[in-house]
Amino acid sequence: MPVELVKCGMCGKATVVEQGGRHVCPMCLDEEHRLYVSVRTLIRDHEGDGLSIKDVAEMLEVDENKITHLVDNGYFSLALRGLRPYDR
Ligand SMILES: [Zn+2]
């Protein structure tokens, strides 16, 4: 399986992942999953509010880049239909 060197979307450290895989290092896998569950719950509670990534980051008090990381990695293709990817 080919691998590639990428920057972890959660902590920013360089890490090796399978090609085409999510850009997350082994240290951050648990945190990534917990954050995903938190965001999913938040979105469900605010369905139709059209939350932006920034709104979600502020409500959960986490780095906006981490939410962007989840969205970029396809976590919310279905669950996050109401989420605006960027503040425009
Ligand atoms: Zn990491």
Side-chain angles (χ1 to χ4, degrees), residues 2-4 13 19-20 28 42 45 48 55 69 74:
V3 295
E4 57 183 338
K13 283 185 190 149
Q19 211 161 35
C28 292
L42 186 78
D45 291 348
D55 295 330
H69 159 76

Side-chain angles (χ1 to χ4, degrees), residues 54-67:
K54 196 170 172 224
D55 295 330
V56 172
E58 279 172 6
M59 286 160 106
L60 294 177
E61 296 181 347
V62 298
D63 193 329
E64 206 177 316
N65 291 331
K66 293 183 180 177
I67 309 293

